[in-house]
């Protein structure tokens, strides 16, 4: 089983992958969009153990991310990963609990999100995949909303 923390920013994602013991396997920054999600899938694939036999299932990938919206989160759910939407206040409290400085960093938040889904995922909500039509409607509505906000800011 792999645990992935994905700290989303406006134009990039900081990602950390840890194993079941909490050992960090990889840390990367990916650009937003198709190139970034493709590189993330490749990185996860590099760290997945091979099934030992023909009847063994593919190991699980569990992802913690602070938003369940948008094409990136939809791509994670669509890939068959178990995705958990972690409230930003929860991750902030977790950071305060485990760090004396409380300093925020994108890479540090990716680690925190990976640890939350590794240790405490039972206390958080798993993102459910919608039908393709529902996902398309949500994406169109959010894109429209973003365009309106961008226009109003100008």
């Amino acid at each position: 089983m792999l645990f992935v923390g994905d700290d989303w920013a406006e134009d990039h994602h900081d990602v950390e992958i840890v194993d079941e013991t909490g050992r960090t396997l990889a840390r990367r920054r990916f650009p937003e969009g198709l190139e970034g999600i493709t590189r993330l899938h490749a990185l996860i694939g590099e760290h997945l153990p091979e099934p030992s036999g023909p009847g063994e299932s593919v190991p699980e990938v569990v992802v913690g991310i602070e938003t369940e919206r948008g094409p990136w989160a939809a791509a994670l759910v669509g890939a068959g990963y178990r995705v958990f939407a972690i409230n930003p206040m929860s991750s902030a409290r977790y950071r305060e609990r485990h760090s004396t400085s409380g300093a925020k960093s994108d890479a540090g938040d990716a680690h925190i999100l990976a640890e939350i889904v590794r240790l405490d995922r039972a206390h958080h909500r798993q993102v459910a995949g919608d039908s393709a039509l529902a996902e398309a409607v949500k994406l169109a509505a959010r894109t429209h909303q973003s365009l309106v906000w961008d226009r109003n800011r100008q």
Side-chain angles (χ1 to χ4, degrees), residues 1-137:
M1 188 177 291
L2 293 179
F3 301 94
V4 180
D6 185 335
D7 185 61
W8 177 79
E10 193 167 314
D11 62 345
H12 67 272
H13 293 256
D14 283 283
V15 172
E16 182 168 318
I17 300 174
V18 300
D19 65 12
E20 292 176 356
T21 66
R23 183 174 57 100
T24 299
L25 302 175
R27 286 187 187 118
R28 300 279 190 289
R29 177 172 281 184
F30 297 111
E32 176 69 25
L34 183 59
E35 176 193 347
I37 196 72
T38 301
R39 289 172 41 199
L40 173 60
H41 289 318
L43 181 65
I44 290 171
E46 289 174 18
H47 293 283
L48 279 175
E50 291 293 325
S52 60
E56 186 180 342
S57 62
V58 176
E60 252 188 312
V61 176
V62 181
V63 180
I65 189 168
E66 288 182 340
T67 182
E68 63 183 287
R69 297 184 183 125
W72 188 280
L76 295 173
V77 172
Y81 305 150
R82 291 182 57 204
V83 180
F84 289 82
I86 308 298
N87 184 302
M89 292 299 289
S90 293
S91 57
R93 296 300 168 259
Y94 194 89
R95 181 175 50 250
E96 290 170 358
R97 202 170 96 204
H98 294 282
S99 171
T100 55
S101 73
K104 181 177 175 6
S105 75
D106 292 341
D109 284 353
H111 174 75
I112 287 167
L113 290 165
E115 285 296 293
I116 288 172
V117 294
R118 183 175 75 87
L119 300 169
D120 294 326
R121 67 185 170 279
H123 301 284
H124 297 279
R125 183 178 56 81
Q126 185 172 343
V127 176
D130 279 330
S131 68
L133 179 60
E135 289 295 333
V137 169

